[in-house]
């Protein structure tokens, strides 16, 4: 099993299904309410573990019922939780998620203890970073912490995948430390100020990332698939068609799967296809971590 270090957020998702999103000032009577484990970092850690990697997760939780349950859930998954810290002054992060009848979601996050993940936490995990095959990060914890972690991993010659979500501006010199960046269409527009609406505009945006110093770019295009570009090749890997129930963790599943596939030595087409398969399964199920498939499911998946 390849070793992957995931640095990022952990949330408890409070999910309500409804026929339509409310407009400002409107009250809508929804349907089923569920509580799920979530957070981009945690989702990607669970995905990487279920899909075949040995995973260490660096995060910060609150000393509350949500935090204690999350720790136990990660242990049950087989994830190394030794470096997860528990903050006594801030609650575990919470996400309020509304899902409409088309499977689309609207999300508001109260970060809580996620905002306390610091450089000190990254320094504690350097011995693990030295021996892993891949480092996977997102932007749902303080950007200063992620910036520091990426630079440390780069100095150690570790492959770094950055899923720039939620999108924010990065220091220009940080791009040189990133091996793979995986924005979706809206994140690409927020970061670069360039709208992505088709393959041609995705190609142009990918080239900007490459010019900034990123080595490989994957722009996820929803139901159209994922567009890849580096200095040597460019192509689209089509998405798989499925009946969509909930898209909440599709991107996180994709990124966790990508880290596993690349660490195992799959080529770019194989790795993106594998990641598309995992994401396609996830959208057929409700919830974040509850929707993430296991390796056997991806390997037996048929469109």
């Amino acid at each position: 099993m390849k070793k992957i270090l995931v640095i990022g957020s952990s949330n408890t998702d409070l999910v309500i299904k409804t026929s339509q999103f409310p407009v400002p000032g409107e009250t809508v009577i929804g349907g089923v309410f569920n509580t799920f484990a979530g957070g981009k970092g945690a989702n990607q850690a669970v995905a990487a573990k279920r899909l075949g990697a040995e995973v260490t997760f660096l995060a910060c939780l609150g000393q509350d019922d949500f935090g204690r349950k999350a720790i136990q859930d990660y242990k049950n998954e087989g994830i190394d939780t030794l470096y997860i810290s528990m903050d006594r002054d801030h609650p575990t992060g919470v996400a309020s998620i509304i899902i409409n009848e088309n499977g689309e979601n609207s999300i508001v996050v109260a970060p809580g203890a996620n905002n306390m993940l610091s450089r000190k936490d990254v320094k504690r995990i350097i011995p693990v970073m030295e021996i892993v095959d891949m480092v996977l990060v997102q932007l749902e914890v303080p950007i200063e912490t992620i910036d520091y972690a990426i630079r440390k991993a780069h100095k150690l010659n570790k492959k770094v995948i950055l899923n720039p979500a939620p999108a924010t501006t990065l220091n220009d010199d940080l791009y040189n430390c990133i091996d793979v960046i995986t924005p979706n269409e809206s994140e690409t527009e927020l970061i670069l100020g360039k709208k992505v609406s088709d393959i041609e505009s995705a190609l142009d945006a990918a080239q900007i990332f490459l010019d900034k110093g990123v080595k490989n770019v994957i722009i996820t295009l929803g139901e159209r698939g994922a567009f890849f570009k580096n200095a040597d090749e460019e192509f689209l890997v089509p998405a798989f068609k499925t009946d969509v129930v909930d898209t909440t963790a599709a991107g996180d599943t994709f990124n966790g799967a990508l880290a596993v596939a690349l660490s195992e030595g799959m080529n770019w087409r194989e790795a993106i296809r594998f990641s598309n398969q995992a994401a396609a399964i996830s959208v057929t199920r409700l919830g974040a971590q509850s929707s993430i498939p296991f390796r056997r499911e991806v390997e037996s998946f048929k469109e």
Side-chain angles (χ1 to χ4, degrees), residues 214-255:
V214 179
K215 299 174 185 65
N216 305 279
V217 181
I218 300 173
I219 299 178
T220 55
L221 303 172
E223 61 184 16
R224 284 174 291 181
F227 179 78
F228 172 81
K229 182 172 175 58
N230 64 12
D232 302 314
E233 54 185 338
E234 60 193 50
F235 51 81
L236 175 74
V237 179
F240 294 88
K241 291 182 172 57
T242 55
D243 294 326
V244 177
V245 173
D246 178 9
T247 61
T248 300
D252 295 330
T253 302
F254 180 95
N255 280 277

Side-chain angles (χ1 to χ4, degrees), residues 50-52 274 281 293-301:
R50 290 185 184 175
L51 295 170
F274 177 79
I281 295 171
F294 289 85
R295 182 67 172 253
R296 63 183 180 275
E297 295 178 283
V298 177
E299 291 179 341
S300 63
F301 175 78

Side-chain angles (χ1 to χ4, degrees), residues 23-233:
V23 299
E26 179 186 17
T27 298
V28 172
I29 302 300
V32 177
F33 168 78
N34 286 289
T35 302
F36 295 107
K40 291 186 179 298
N43 295 344
Q44 293 179 22
V46 169
K49 178 60 182 176
R50 290 185 184 175
L51 295 170
E54 184 177 323
V55 176
T56 299
F57 183 33
L58 177 65
C60 185
L61 304 172
Q63 287 187 3
D64 50 31
D65 289 344
F66 285 156
R68 286 185 286 272
K69 184 180 185 305
I71 287 284
Q72 189 57 56
D73 287 345
Y74 304 145
K75 288 180 178 178
N76 292 343
E77 292 282 351
I79 293 171
D80 178 6
T81 62
L82 181 62
Y83 296 89
I84 296 178
S85 58
M86 306 290 285
D87 190 283
R88 66 178 63 185
D89 299 319
H90 299 84
T92 298
V94 171
S96 176
I97 303 175
I98 302 173
I99 302 169
N100 70 11
E101 58 190 6
N102 297 320
E104 300 168 321
N105 58 61
S106 179
I107 304 174
V108 178
V109 176
N114 288 309
N115 281 342
M116 299 299 107
L117 192 68
S118 68
R119 291 188 178 196
K120 183 189 296 185
D121 295 304
V122 176
K123 288 177 181 177
R124 287 194 301 116
I125 210 166
I126 294 300
V128 174
M129 191 180 284
E130 290 174 341
I131 62 172
V132 298
D133 300 283
M134 190 81 65
V135 178
L136 174 59
V137 297
Q138 325 77 33
L139 301 177
E140 213 170 35
V141 295
I143 186 62
E144 309 83 41
T145 303
I146 293 303
D147 185 296
Y148 181 75
I150 290 173
R151 294 179 195 276
K152 279 292 184 183
H154 181 67
K155 285 183 179 179
L156 292 170
N157 294 314
K158 298 300 174 181
K159 299 294 184 184
V160 176
I161 299 176
L162 170 63
N163 174 221
T168 190
T169 302
L170 303 175
N171 292 320
D172 273 347
D173 64 335
L174 185 64
Y175 288 101
N176 289 306
C177 302
I178 299 168
D179 293 277
V180 190
I181 194 167
T182 61
N184 62 22
E185 295 153 294
S186 61
E187 289 154 1
T188 300
E189 182 175 359
L190 286 167
I191 294 168
L192 299 180
K194 180 176 179 58
K195 185 174 180 60
V196 173
S197 56
D198 52 26
I199 301 303
E200 184 177 352
S201 55
L203 189 156
D204 292 342
Q207 186 60 55
I208 296 173
F209 280 121
L210 293 176
D211 292 342
K212 286 177 175 290
V214 179
K215 299 174 185 65
N216 305 279
V217 181
I218 300 173
I219 299 178
T220 55
L221 303 172
E223 61 184 16
R224 284 174 291 181
F227 179 78
F228 172 81
K229 182 172 175 58
N230 64 12
D232 302 314
E233 54 185 338

